[in-house]
Amino acid sequence: MRAIIRVLTTTILTILLPISGLHAEEAMLIQGEHFMIIYAILTGFLAVILFIAAKFSFNAKPKKELGFLSITPHRPQKFFPIDEKVQNMVPVVEALADEQTNVYSNLNKITLSMKSNGVYLEDKNYKISILINRRRSRRSFLNDGDILDMGELTIMFKTPNKRPEKYESKEHTSGHVIPRTRRVNGKILKNTPKLIPVEPREKTYYITKNLTFIGHSEMNDLVPKSKSVAPMHSRIERVSGKYKLIDLSSQTGTFVNGRRIDTKMLRDGDEISFESVRYTFSLSDKAH
């Protein structure tokens, strides 16, 4: 910066002084006397320009687009913009899912329609319906921040027409945005699998996803309040209508009915524990 200002100062003096008719010796003397004054003026001028540019850059808000953002845990985030040409979820999934991610089939039956009041999603699959905000839903107008689960792929709907009163979000150091959804789309279905905490003060967790992560990191679906639970401790997978518990190489271990397991198919009434944290796995609405 100093070198640049010195060059500018010398250039200005070189241009102006000969025009004034001064001799070379007088010009050199004046250049030496007035260099610091011109240097200070140029420094202040450049500082003001940089300050204004930085202020405009800081206040400039990024342009929001309409589309889907992939937020699948342990996968890089990617954004796919949509318009009226995107009529189903096929191009969305092709852009956001990788080869290791298992997703629903018949994606062409999950249609998207641009309406005057938003984007309308309709799931025309007969047996499996898409999860929106972790609730089964076949028809829905999508709002900014809505979470869609399609197998192992988790995506977030983004739109410039944000409705902040409907939800709030929290950003973590991992770079992922974790929604704190306040609204509920639909009721929990009868006999939905759930984890009932042994500690009565804790809440029952309903398993509505095909892939449920458990750990004390906020990136998980179920976050037990215990230091003995690893950041990514275990996961529950839905396999052909049944549920399998998998330990993710945790140090303290995952236990079913008091026995440490690596992989275990769960049955109604099984007790799942992570050191001091215990749950009862239930497939019915009956009390155990």
Side-chain angles (χ1 to χ4, degrees):
M1 175 66 74
R2 185 182 180 87
I4 294 174
I5 295 177
R6 182 182 291 276
V7 171
L8 291 174
T9 304
T10 304
T11 302
I12 293 172
L13 291 173
T14 302
I15 295 173
L16 295 179
L17 290 176
I19 296 176
S20 65
L22 297 174
H23 297 293
E25 294 181 358
E26 294 175 332
M28 293 298 295
L29 180 60
I30 293 176
Q31 181 175 348
E33 292 176 349
H34 295 281
F35 172 79
M36 294 305 299
I37 297 176
I38 299 176
Y39 175 81
I41 294 174
L42 289 175
T43 301
F45 180 72
L46 290 177
V48 171
I49 292 177
L50 292 174
F51 175 78
I52 295 174
K55 186 175 181 180
F56 275 102
S57 176
F58 179 80
N59 292 333
K61 296 182 179 180
K63 183 179 179 181
K64 294 183 179 180
E65 295 184 85
L66 179 69
F68 292 96
L69 175 69
S70 63
I71 58 171
T72 305
H74 310 297
R75 295 286 194 277
Q77 287 192 351
K78 292 185 292 184
F79 182 80
F80 181 76
I82 62 173
D83 53 27
E84 61 277 357
K85 296 180 181 179
V86 180
Q87 299 181 352
N88 55 54
M89 294 299 294
V90 174
V92 178
V93 172
E94 289 179 349
L96 300 182
D98 53 33
E99 297 179 354
Q100 289 74 37
T101 305
N102 295 320
V103 297
Y104 288 163
S105 57
N106 299 326
L107 294 170
N108 59 318
K109 292 186 177 181
I110 305 177
T111 62
L112 298 171
S113 303
M114 297 292 180
K115 305 292 184 180
S116 59
N117 54 343
V119 177
Y120 181 71
L121 181 146
E122 184 175 5
D123 189 352
K124 300 178 181 178
N125 288 305
Y126 177 71
K127 294 184 178 180
I128 302 176
S129 59
I130 195 171
L131 296 181
I132 301 179
N133 299 323
R134 298 178 181 173
R135 299 290 186 272
R136 289 181 173 87
S137 179
R138 294 193 180 277
R139 300 176 183 86
S140 176
F141 272 101
L142 298 178
N143 296 315
D144 187 60
D146 279 347
I147 304 299
L148 283 68
D149 287 301
M150 296 177 291
E152 295 180 357
L153 177 65
T154 304
I155 60 178
M156 176 187 291
F157 178 71
K158 304 294 291 182
T159 175
N161 302 320
K162 186 176 181 181
R163 300 181 183 179
E165 70 278 3
K166 295 292 184 180
Y167 74 96
E168 60 182 358
S169 62
K170 184 177 181 181
E171 186 171 353
H172 297 273
T173 55
S174 62
H176 287 65
V177 178
I178 306 300
R180 294 291 181 261
T181 305
R182 291 179 179 175
R183 65 183 178 278
V184 176
N185 294 335
K187 298 180 179 179
I188 296 292
L189 297 180
K190 187 177 181 180
N191 295 331
T192 297
K194 51 187 168 291
L195 296 177
I196 304 173
V198 175
E199 174 59 50
R201 291 178 297 179
E202 299 295 331
K203 295 182 179 180
T204 296
Y205 179 81
Y206 291 88
I207 304 174
T208 58
K209 299 177 61 178
N210 291 329
L211 193 64
T212 302
F213 285 91
I214 303 172
H216 78 240
S217 169
E218 291 289 341
M219 284 302 299
N220 295 282
D221 302 289
L222 175 59
V223 184
K225 298 178 181 179
S226 174
K227 295 182 179 180
S228 62
V229 179
M232 290 295 293
H233 198 104
S234 62
R235 72 172 181 263
I236 297 176
E237 296 182 359
R238 185 184 181 190
V239 183
S240 300
K242 298 181 180 180
Y243 292 86
K244 178 170 63 175
L245 177 64
I246 301 174
D247 181 75
L248 301 178
S249 302
S250 63
Q251 291 185 354
T252 54
T254 300
F255 298 81
V256 176
N257 299 325
R259 294 187 177 183
R260 185 165 184 167
I261 59 96
D262 293 322
T263 301
K264 176 72 173 178
M265 297 301 297
L266 296 174
R267 296 180 299 178
D268 187 40
D270 280 346
E271 182 183 273
I272 301 173
S273 59
F274 316 98
E275 290 289 334
S276 60
V277 181
R278 294 184 297 160
Y279 297 92
T280 298
F281 177 75
S282 176
L283 290 170
S284 65
D285 294 329
K286 297 179 181 180
H288 289 274

